């Protein structure tokens, strides 16, 4: 379904971030966890690097996790905002984005847009929304390339591509989702919510920077001491973001649950020891940290040296969430392989608090 005649040279050029200020839109399930808020605030505060033109509310629902962990009280143990329906998650995210604008002293008028209230049913069926239509308009009528930092289900962006396939020649997408291509599966929350949309993204030919979760974005964890020392007490937005993290530490059992959850999902088949054997070993004490996954997208765009990457052939995503074998006809994408955690958080903390001191 590739809708571009872009040459390999032009594609590679677009997959290397230029030094000049970037036009940027964000696509985010902002109320799902506590990491989106960091990414949004960091982008909005980085006025020397980004012109953030719009923020789109992405849908989210935890039905996919309920099906995977039947009988588990995931909404309590995992520490996220629970949503039954994607439209509910999208509305909650819209309100959270507006709240962040207010905390930053910014107007959200004509800046924040509601996204899809449902997922794409198949690869041919776009879901129209304010967000998808706004992206089409900005891409086709704005000057220069438009960068799209996406850190949620990719429904809004895939729908825009299906509505107007020509936008693949006007945008560069940076998306956090799925797992490394050397895993035998792509099982991850953003990707598995809307598999059809994820397939559209990989198949469309849009210039794509792909950021896997485990072993890449998963490196971006903050601790209690760090939050208290670097974020709290400096600014209103720093207090809000910091308190969100501290609140997530109130239940140490959530960290133990998360480790078990990852073994059954994100890290599926990365462990070859018998489950009954592993159950003999129990965790009792937790030194809490929290992964702030979504800032990886902003980090790559702000300074690509913080997130080393390589050119790879765009993967085939099978319906069962396994990676298929790409043939020679598929285009290249850029894949992030690592995150320099200390450099990323150093800039983020300084930007959010207005303190340039490195500590």
């Amino acid at each position: 379904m590739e809708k571009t005649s872009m040459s390999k040279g032009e594609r590679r050029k677009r997959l290397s971030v230029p030094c000049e200020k970037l036009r940027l839109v964000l696509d985010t399930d902002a109320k799902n966890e506590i990491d989106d808020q960091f990414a949004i605030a960091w982008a909005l505060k980085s006025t020397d690097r980004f012109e953030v033109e719009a923020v789109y509310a992405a849908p989210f629902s935890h039905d996919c996790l309920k099906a995977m962990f039947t009988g588990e009280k995931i909404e309590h143990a995992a520490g996220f905002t629970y949503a039954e329906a994607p439209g509910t998650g999208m509305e909650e995210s819209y309100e959270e984005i507006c709240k962040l604008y207010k905390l930053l002293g910014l107007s959200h008028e004509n800046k924040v847009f509601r996204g899809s209230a449902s997922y794409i049913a198949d690869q041919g069926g776009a879901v129209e929304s304010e967000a998808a239509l706004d992206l089409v308009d900005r891409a086709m009528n704005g000057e220069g390339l438009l960068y799209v930092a996406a850190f949620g289900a990719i429904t809004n962006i895939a729908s825009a591509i299906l509505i107007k396939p020509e936008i693949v020649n006007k945008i560069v997408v940076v998306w956090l989702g799925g797992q490394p291509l050397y895993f035998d599966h792509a099982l991850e929350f953003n990707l598995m919510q809307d598999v059809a949309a994820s397939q559209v993204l990989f198949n469309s030919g849009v210039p794509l920077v792909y950021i896997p979760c485990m072993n890449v974005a998963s490196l971006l964890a903050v601790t209690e001491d760090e939050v208290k020392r670097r974020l709290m007490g400096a600014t209103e937005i720093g207090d809000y973001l910091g308190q969100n993290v501290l609140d997530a530490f109130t239940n140490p059992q959530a960290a133990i649950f998360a480790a078990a959850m990852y073994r059954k999902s994100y890290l599926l088949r990365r462990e070859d020891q018998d489950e009954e054997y592993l159950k003999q070993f129990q965790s009792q004490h937790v030194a809490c940290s929290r992964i702030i996954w979504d800032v990886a997208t902003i980090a790559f765009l702000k300074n690509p040296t913080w997130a080393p990457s390589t050119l790879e052939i765009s993967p085939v995503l099978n319906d069962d969430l396994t990676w298929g074998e790409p043939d020679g006809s598929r285009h290249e994408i850029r894949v992030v392989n690592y995150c320099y955690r200390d450099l990323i958080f150093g800039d983020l903390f300084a930007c959010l608090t207005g303190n340039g001191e490195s500590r």
Side-chain angles (χ1 to χ4, degrees):
M1 66 172 287
E2 191 164 324
K3 302 294 183 181
T4 176
S5 57
M6 193 182 306
S7 69
K8 178 181 286 190
E10 179 60 28
R11 179 179 300 279
R12 289 186 171 186
K13 181 180 178 181
R14 295 187 182 194
L15 291 173
S16 293
V17 180
C19 293
E20 57 264 24
K21 191 171 184 176
L22 305 180
R23 296 177 60 214
L24 180 65
V25 296
L26 310 177
D27 188 73
T28 164
D29 56 349
K31 193 60 177 176
N32 174 44
E33 283 194 86
I34 62 171
D35 52 339
D36 299 72
Q37 294 91 330
F38 279 84
I40 296 166
W42 192 19
L44 289 172
K45 289 284 285 182
S46 299
T47 54
D48 58 336
R49 180 60 173 150
F50 305 123
E51 181 64 42
V52 180
E53 297 186 3
V55 183
Y56 306 138
F60 74 87
S61 165
H62 295 100
D63 279 352
C64 56
L65 295 184
K66 281 182 68 177
M68 187 181 301
F69 300 106
T70 303
E72 302 272 14
K73 294 184 178 180
I74 58 172
E75 61 270 35
H76 302 302
F80 47 64
T81 299
Y82 187 75
E84 286 278 358
T88 302
M90 183 276 293
E91 285 291 342
E92 292 176 348
S93 294
Y94 175 84
E95 295 298 329
E96 183 73 0
I97 298 164
C98 293
K99 181 177 182 178
L100 291 169
Y101 267 80
K102 184 177 180 180
L103 287 169
L104 288 164
L106 301 172
S107 171
H108 68 268
E109 188 174 355
N110 297 321
K111 294 284 189 179
V112 182
F113 297 88
R114 288 179 170 87
S116 172
S118 61
Y119 301 128
I120 291 176
D122 58 67
Q123 292 191 55
V127 183
E128 284 199 6
S129 65
E130 290 179 357
L133 295 175
D134 183 80
L135 177 56
V136 169
D137 180 62
R138 288 181 195 276
M140 297 305 297
N141 298 314
E143 292 187 11
L145 284 176
L146 179 63
Y147 289 81
V148 181
F151 29 99
I154 202 69
T155 310
N156 295 335
I157 312 309
S159 292
I161 291 172
L162 292 172
I163 291 167
K164 189 74 170 179
E166 293 84 354
I167 70 168
V168 302
N169 298 306
K170 302 285 188 176
I171 65 176
V172 176
V173 179
V174 181
W175 183 47
L176 172 77
Q179 303 300 352
L181 301 183
Y182 57 83
F183 278 28
D184 62 355
H185 69 85
L187 195 62
E188 181 274 331
F189 183 66
N190 290 346
L191 182 147
M192 64 196 248
Q193 285 182 85
D194 195 343
V195 179
S198 304
Q199 291 169 328
V200 167
L201 187 72
F202 287 123
N203 296 340
S204 67
V206 68
L208 171 65
V209 178
Y210 174 59
I211 305 179
C213 286
M214 301 309 289
N215 301 343
V216 182
S218 63
L219 299 172
L220 299 175
V222 294
T223 65
E224 181 177 8
D225 289 344
E226 197 167 36
V227 166
K228 288 179 177 178
R229 190 160 67 94
R230 299 299 302 274
L231 273 181
M232 304 295 288
T235 60
E236 191 173 9
I237 190 66
D239 285 346
Y240 179 69
L241 298 175
Q243 193 59 53
N244 282 347
V245 176
L246 297 180
D247 289 346
F249 292 159
T250 58
N251 179 11
Q253 289 301 312
I256 296 173
F257 174 85
M261 184 178 74
Y262 288 152
R263 193 165 68 248
K264 297 176 184 177
S265 56
Y266 287 20
L267 293 172
L268 185 67
R269 292 188 293 275
R270 308 307 292 181
E271 167 69 69
D272 67 0
Q273 300 202 79
D274 182 75
E275 187 69 24
E276 291 303 313
Y277 165 76
L278 293 174
K279 285 180 180 179
Q280 298 177 86
F281 302 90
Q282 298 298 314
S283 301
Q284 295 181 346
H285 306 289
V286 177
C288 288
S289 67
R290 188 74 178 189
I291 301 173
I292 312 297
W293 311 85
D294 295 338
V295 298
T297 59
I298 307 305
F300 177 85
L301 287 169
K302 193 164 188 181
N303 187 333
T305 69
W306 298 339
S309 62
T310 52
L311 291 168
E312 309 286 349
I313 299 300
S314 184
V316 173
L317 177 63
N318 297 322
D319 292 342
D320 64 358
L321 301 183
T322 59
W323 296 120
E325 284 293 329
D327 60 37
S329 67
R330 293 180 71 82
H331 57 283
E332 289 180 322
I333 64 173
R334 183 164 290 282
V335 178
V336 173
N337 299 308
Y338 188 77
C339 289
Y340 286 106
R341 180 257 180 222
D342 294 352
L343 303 181
I344 291 169
F345 279 115
D347 188 271
L348 185 148
F349 291 146
C351 191
L352 294 183
T353 62
N355 181 1
E357 181 184 356
S358 178
R359 293 183 287 171

